[in-house]
Amino acid sequence: PLALEEVRMLVELFYLPYHHGPQAQHLLEHLRWLRANSPSVGVPAPDGCGGTQWRGRARSFQLLCAQTCRLHSRFVRSAGRELLYDLHPYLWDIRNMLLAASAFILWLGCQSITDPVLLGGDAEPWARRGGLFGELQALLPVGNSCDLFYHPPPLFPSSQQYVLRPLQPSDQAGLRQQLSHGPAPAGRLLGSFLSLSPEYTFVLEDESGPCGYAAGALCAEGFLQQRDSSWLPATRHKYPQDLGVGGPALGQEALLFFHAELPAVPLPVLRRFPSLVQLGTAPQVLDTGATRSLAICLLSALRANG
């Protein structure tokens, strides 16, 4: 059964529509402070609020997010069926939002942006919901992408725990080593992002390891030009077209992709939609909330830079 502290946290997350319990209030306070004082978004920190203090509060925020995600998993395993189906949609929403917020704060802490666009709340009031979920939503610079926040919960609640975080150098080295064994589908999907835009790549993990990713490019026009002028020729040289002769069909398909002429994106489209996003999950990820968190986190990171 749930421990007393877990029941207390559950109550504090959904105390009153505009009044939260202490732990929920700490979540909001940490997120507001970290966003306003981030060394990476060009907002000057007050005197005495250096990088050490920012990282300390970021760790406290990460810990609260992790506790809430564990609470969701424990609640699904422990609650009676009637209580579970009554309260699960609300706790599932909060879990998904905190997965995205936690990864976004981690991303802010490892950026070195010199002149970004300040984070702004430009969403229409009707796009936001009430309670703690709505206040957390307002603190992420995801803007008017309100469709991301209105997905129904799964019919069969899952206790699977997920971790969402930015791509780390160790991940990149491992992925590059994996891709170097041949032009696998992963190389086709992620190779250009790992080379040209690794700072906008996020990894989703379950208990067995990485199970999803979101990758983006802030300036799609420049990204596609670099891909076509430098990354693709280098990849074609590394994997000549006759390399896959007699090999598995999947490898041949990847080779054909690298050596085919990729369709050009019309300039009006690039001017109207300046960034590029790509997202994928493994077949075992049946929880749409985790995939939605990937999208929210990547869009927040792109919008934080304008």
Side-chain angles (χ1 to χ4, degrees):
L2 294 176
L4 179 60
E5 286 301 316
E6 292 172 316
V7 176
R8 181 179 288 116
M9 187 174 192
L10 184 63
V11 172
E12 290 180 0
L13 289 172
F14 308 103
Y15 194 65
L16 288 172
Y18 299 101
H19 183 67
H20 314 296
Q23 294 195 70
Q25 195 61 44
H26 288 156
L27 273 170
L28 285 172
E29 289 170 359
H30 282 319
L31 186 54
R32 286 193 191 103
W33 190 92
L34 289 165
R35 203 191 83 160
N37 294 281
S38 169
S40 63
V41 292
V43 182
D47 292 338
C49 295
T52 303
Q53 184 180 358
W54 195 93
R55 287 190 294 272
R57 291 196 69 159
R59 281 193 294 271
S60 298
F61 179 71
Q62 301 289 334
L63 182 61
L64 279 171
C65 290
Q67 287 175 349
T68 309
C69 292
R70 279 197 300 273
L71 171 63
H72 169 267
S73 180
R74 295 258 298 130
F75 183 76
V76 170
R77 292 199 300 266
S78 306
R81 294 295 96 181
E82 186 175 350
L83 183 63
L84 171 63
Y85 281 95
D86 275 347
L87 297 186
H88 177 258
Y90 306 101
L91 190 54
W92 180 77
D93 268 339
I94 293 292
R95 190 280 309 255
N96 297 335
M97 183 60 72
L98 290 180
L99 276 176
S102 175
F104 178 66
I105 290 300
L106 276 175
W107 177 84
L108 281 181
C110 61
Q111 299 305 299
S112 55
I113 305 161
T114 54
D115 189 25
V117 176
L118 300 185
L119 308 182
D122 59 351
E124 298 290 344
W126 54 264
R128 295 198 184 117
R129 291 156 55 178
L132 179 63
F133 181 93
E135 293 197 47
L136 289 168
Q137 179 187 346
L139 289 171
L140 289 178
V142 72
N144 276 328
S145 304
C146 54
D147 288 348
L148 287 169
F149 302 102
Y150 286 92
H151 280 263
L155 285 176
F156 302 101
S158 168
S159 61
Q160 176 68 64
Q161 292 193 61
Y162 294 98
V163 173
L164 177 56
R165 56 177 177 77
L167 182 79
Q168 297 170 355
S170 56
D171 300 318
Q172 194 166 346
L175 283 169
R176 285 185 186 281
Q177 184 176 5
Q178 181 184 353
L179 301 180
S180 67
H181 295 312
R188 181 177 59 184
L189 294 170
L190 267 176
S192 56
F193 290 100
L194 289 177
S195 296
L196 305 175
S197 186
E199 67 274 18
Y200 290 103
T201 305
F202 294 87
V203 178
L204 180 72
E205 292 180 320
D206 61 14
E207 291 163 0
S208 61
C211 59
Y213 75 94
L218 187 66
C219 177
E221 187 175 356
F223 175 86
L224 295 175
Q225 286 174 356
Q226 278 189 285
R227 184 198 67 181
D228 294 342
S229 64
S230 60
W231 182 79
L232 262 180
T235 305
R236 288 167 177 165
H237 178 74
K238 187 174 183 179
Y239 302 113
Q241 196 161 1
D242 58 1
L243 185 66
V245 175
L250 208 57
Q252 294 179 33
E253 182 187 342
L255 279 170
L256 287 174
F257 170 83
F258 289 132
H259 287 274
E261 286 300 321
L262 301 182
V265 182
L267 197 57
V269 174
L270 291 172
R271 297 287 162 82
R272 185 176 178 192
F273 305 103
S275 294
L276 179 67
V277 297
Q278 184 170 286
L279 186 149
T281 56
Q284 74 264 22
V285 181
L286 303 178
D287 189 338
T288 56
T291 312
R292 188 178 75 179
S293 299
L294 270 171
I296 291 171
C297 187
L298 176 57
L299 291 177
S300 294
L302 290 168
R303 287 185 59 85
N305 280 341

